[in-house]
Each structure stands twice: as structure tokens, then as C-alpha cells.
Amino acid sequence: MYRHFRTVATIGSRAARYSTQPIRDTRVSNLVPQFEVTKLENASDPAHLRVVHETLQAKGLVQLALRFDNDESTYLERLISNLSKIHGHGLPITHSAERGWFWDVRPAPSSFQSHGHQARSETMSKFDWHTDCSYEEFPPRYFALQVIQPDRCGGGTLSVLNVDQLLGLLSPFARKWLSSKEFKITVPPEFVKDAGKQHIPANLVAIKPNGECGSQLRFRDDITMPLTPNASKALNEFKRILYGEEAKQSTLHLKAESLPRGSIILMDNRRWLHSRNEVKDPNRHLRRVRWDARPFESCSA
């Protein structure tokens, strides 16, 4: 892999400094802005908060590099709390009736975090393309993953795919029917919050008019059922494109060397799909938080 030197913004308590480090390949560097975080207090620094907020708004992806140990995720908790106070982000959602803001993404062969059910994130198996919480009526706009322990055996690669690029490949027919509320999404048992709500009716796509950027997607194939023939046909077209060659060429793969220990990746959950290949290191450990839950709007194609 080609590695190069790039300028990385370092957000301090008073002003931004810069350091040059050999970190990532050219494609990752161009698509995923990265900022160094030198101390815990940066989570309360207005300049730091503004940079994170504005970059998330513009790009939908931000990588932060912690230069101090913080396995308790105190920095991330304070960052999101202050993004809420200063920039109007909604606070984190709970993962289930039994879990709070944070969820440990790591292999768990027998001890599960919620309802006695094993979540996909608690396995070592491949987790195909999805957006988080597609089964929520108000899915979170953002999520973050903090790397506590990367996969040291070559697995667990995080892959991301831009929604605008993907939806641009769809036919008008598919965009129309994916934007209709003709799908049923089942709530996975480990994430049930209300025993009386096992599924929701939903549209999968909310498209900005006139080709504007910022269209939204909610998707997880194994829990999504089309309710009409047209919805089924549109979903099949979407999946053909999602797993086709053009989408593969647009996919960005963030391997362990791109996300070492202390990395935090923040992502717009509606503007980027993500997936994970097979985990090979049983000690791989990420910590996840999701926040800013808002209605998933229905837009005309």
C-alpha cells in the first residue's frame, strides 16, 4: 500500500497546530478528513467542536486520532454532549431496553449485552452493507466507533460507500418505489425497546430534489421485507447495483492500519453505508455510540 506524508490538523485549546505524519494512503486521506486530539479537554474546546461539526456536515465522515489513552471513551462522551449543547445535535440513543449510550463491538461467544441475544456485532462473521438502526422510526443521524483494540490478524476491515453515489446509479423507477413506505423492517430481538413493537413500516430512501447531495438511506437486507411487487422489484435493482462492479470501485476500505488503537471514526449514518469483513482477531474491540435521532423524511424522486 502506498503511504504518504500528509498534513494533519491538531486541535488544541487555543488554536490549531499542524504536524506531518505518515498515516494513510492517498485515497483514505482524500476522502476522510483526520484531526489529532491532543488532550481530553479538546472535547470542550469550541474550535474543536466547530471543526468536527462542520466537517461532519460537509463530508459525512471524520477520523479523530487520540494522542492519549482513553479506553473509557470519556472524550467521546464529552464530545457528543458538547456537540448537543453547542451545535444542536441530539443526544445519543440507547441501544436497547438494557443498554445505555455505548455498545462494545467485540466477539462474544456466550455473554451477550442485551436480552440474551447475540447481536451481529458480537460475532466474528462478516456483516454486510447496512446503515445502523434502520429499524428505528427515528434512526440516528450519526454514529461513532472508537478503536480500543484493532484486529491484529488482518480482518475486521471497515468498508464505507457514499449513498449519493450509489443512488445516482438507480433508475427513476427504483428511486420512486424505494422512497415509498412499502417496506416492513423487523426490529432485531437484541435491540427491542418496546415489546409491542416488533417491526415498522418504512421507506428506504429519501432523495433530495434536483440532484442535490445529501440524499438519505436506511438499509439492512436481512430484516427488510418489500410489501408490494413494485417495492420488491426496486429493492432487487438496488441490491444488484450495491453488489455490482461500479459500487465496488467506489468503496473505501479502512483497514486496521488506517484505524489504529485510539482512532475514532464519526459517520453520517444516512449518507454512508458501511460493512465489515470477517473478524480474525478474537480480541478486536471497538466501542460504538449513536446520536442525533431524527425523523427519516420521505422525499419525492
Side-chain angles (χ1 to χ4, degrees):
M1 178 181 293
Y2 173 71
R3 301 177 69 86
H4 77 301
F5 287 79
R6 67 182 297 270
T7 301
V8 180
T10 305
I11 307 300
S13 59
R14 295 184 180 179
R17 301 190 303 275
Y18 294 89
S19 61
T20 303
Q21 300 186 28
I23 299 177
R24 307 180 297 170
D25 66 75
T26 305
R27 191 156 182 255
V28 172
S29 297
N30 288 339
L31 293 176
V32 187
Q34 176 175 275
F35 304 99
E36 287 190 341
V37 182
T38 58
K39 54 188 177 181
L40 180 60
E41 290 76 15
N42 292 157
S44 303
D45 176 12
H48 180 58
L49 293 165
R50 184 176 63 254
V51 166
V52 172
H53 169 72
E54 291 179 353
T55 307
L56 262 180
Q57 292 278 306
K59 299 287 189 179
L61 277 176
V62 180
Q63 183 174 342
L64 303 175
L66 300 185
R67 298 308 182 205
F68 55 93
D69 288 335
N70 192 230
D71 286 354
E72 302 81 13
S73 299
T74 309
Y75 162 81
L76 185 54
E77 181 177 1
R78 292 183 186 178
L79 175 76
I80 296 171
S81 294
N82 287 319
L83 285 172
S84 174
K85 292 176 184 177
I86 297 176
H87 293 285
H89 290 218
L91 287 172
I93 66 169
T94 57
H95 278 76
S96 69
E98 298 177 356
R99 294 290 297 177
W101 287 6
F102 288 99
W103 180 273
D104 288 306
V105 179
R106 57 183 170 187
S110 59
S111 180
F112 310 141
Q113 295 176 78
S114 183
H115 298 299
H117 293 280
Q118 187 179 36
R120 291 280 290 271
S121 61
E122 294 176 311
T123 74
M124 297 180 70
S125 302
K126 176 182 178 181
F127 196 167
D128 244 329
W129 289 116
H130 64 285
T131 60
D132 276 12
C133 297
S134 60
Y135 46 82
E136 296 272 7
E137 288 186 298
F138 298 162
R141 177 72 182 270
Y142 303 113
F143 74 91
L145 292 168
Q146 178 174 342
V147 181
I148 309 298
Q149 174 62 63
D151 191 313
R152 296 164 295 181
C153 303
T157 296
L158 174 68
S159 299
V160 298
L161 179 60
N162 182 266
V163 165
D164 280 320
Q165 288 183 316
L166 183 65
L167 297 184
L169 301 174
L170 292 174
S171 68
F173 172 90
R175 290 196 294 270
K176 173 184 176 181
W177 290 102
L178 291 172
S179 300
S180 67
K181 288 195 174 182
E182 299 196 16
F183 299 87
K184 181 175 76 172
I185 302 178
T186 300
V187 182
E190 65 272 17
F191 295 128
V192 169
K193 298 177 183 178
D194 179 351
K197 182 171 288 188
Q198 304 293 326
H199 60 266
I200 63 166
N203 55 310
L204 304 186
V205 167
I207 294 180
K208 289 279 190 179
N210 304 319
E212 296 176 30
C213 293
S215 293
Q216 301 178 15
L217 174 70
R218 65 192 308 162
F219 177 71
R220 178 173 156 178
D221 189 25
D222 62 315
I223 59 173
T224 300
M225 176 184 294
L227 299 176
T228 66
N230 282 333
S232 180
K233 185 176 179 181
L235 182 59
N236 286 336
E237 179 184 326
F238 172 80
K239 289 192 288 186
R240 283 197 305 271
I241 290 173
L242 176 60
Y243 295 104
E245 194 58 38
E246 285 188 80
K248 288 180 181 177
Q249 292 176 5
S250 299
T251 299
L252 183 66
H253 301 290
L254 299 171
K255 298 182 179 181
E257 54 263 35
S258 297
L259 292 172
R261 172 178 165 80
S263 299
I264 299 176
I265 188 84
L266 296 86
M267 189 178 305
D268 189 316
N269 184 46
R270 303 181 184 191
R271 292 165 58 194
W272 290 85
L273 277 163
H274 63 286
S275 66
R276 181 196 75 192
N277 68 0
E278 180 185 3
V279 173
K280 297 181 180 179
D281 183 349
N283 294 313
R284 178 184 186 265
H285 183 192
L286 312 182
R287 185 163 293 124
R288 181 180 67 206
V289 60
R290 301 156 166 165
W291 75 98
D292 200 33
R294 298 179 185 272
F296 190 86
E297 300 295 341
S298 179
C299 304
S300 59

